[in-house]
Amino acid sequence: MLNIDEIQNGVVIDHIKAGTSRRLAEISGIDGLECGVAVLKNVRSSKSGKKDIIKIEGDVSHLNFGVIAYIDPNITINYIKNGKIVRKEKPVLPDTLINVMKCTNPRCITSIEQECDHIFKLTASGKYRCVYCEEEFQKK
């Protein structure tokens, strides 16, 4: 059996859809952290069969948890202080996503100008649209 020690101060990102933790870590900035990070893939779960978990020991105040909500809205973030959970929350979708996805419209300025940031705004319908061409992003 795999055993990962509890963390004293940091966060545990739980209920991640199995197999998506690497992408989540890359897009949210977790990959670039200098503190202790444990990425657990395909862990047994009584609710979903399998899930991924990310444990981060240290300061995470600069991480973009909104991106995490975009990747998997069912994730739970547990804030840990002195070895105890002090707060649980579900991240909310951010109003703006920058360079998280790419616009697929071949006529969009982002297709022509390679330096252009891919910026998407959340609409009232809960979908993201490119700020340049209004193309709706289709999540795969």
Side-chain angles (χ1 to χ4, degrees):
M1 172 121 181
L2 179 65
N3 187 20
I4 303 292
D5 287 340
E6 67 181 30
I7 61 174
Q8 291 302 305
N9 296 295
V11 267
V12 175
I13 305 170
D14 199 1
H15 306 109
I16 304 169
K17 182 179 176 187
T20 61
S21 58
R22 291 298 329 148
R23 180 167 180 248
L24 187 144
E26 179 184 313
I27 290 174
S28 66
I30 292 170
D31 271 355
L33 293 175
E34 295 294 323
C35 56
V37 176
V39 177
L40 305 163
K41 292 178 64 176
N42 299 314
V43 176
R44 282 180 291 223
S45 168
S46 59
K47 288 183 183 177
S48 59
K50 287 186 178 182
K51 67 179 178 179
D52 290 0
I53 301 170
I54 299 176
K55 292 184 172 190
I56 306 167
E57 177 83 43
D59 180 28
V60 294
S61 59
H62 61 285
L63 287 179
N64 185 349
F65 289 124
V67 172
I68 292 173
Y70 164 73
I71 295 170
D72 189 344
N74 298 316
I75 288 173
T76 303
I77 300 173
N78 301 305
Y79 292 87
I80 312 295
K81 189 160 184 136
N82 298 321
K84 304 281 185 210
I85 297 174
V86 293
R87 189 171 90 232
K88 282 187 178 193
E89 66 182 40
K90 294 270 190 193
V92 294
L93 289 173
D95 291 332
T96 306
L97 289 173
I98 301 172
N99 296 327
V100 173
M101 66 270 240
K102 293 187 177 194
C103 186
T104 57
N105 181 353
R107 293 184 180 168
C108 183
I109 188 71
T110 59
S111 297
I112 300 162
E113 297 292 330
Q114 299 301 318
E115 312 82 38
C116 215
D117 285 331
H118 293 263
I119 304 171
F120 288 80
K121 290 279 189 185
L122 185 63
T123 64
S125 67
K127 304 209 177 190
Y128 285 95
R129 289 192 178 276
C130 176
V131 298
Y132 305 108
C133 70
E134 301 265 324
E135 179 82 8
E136 187 176 279
F137 182 75
Q138 300 296 324
K139 196 171 181 180
K140 296 175 183 173

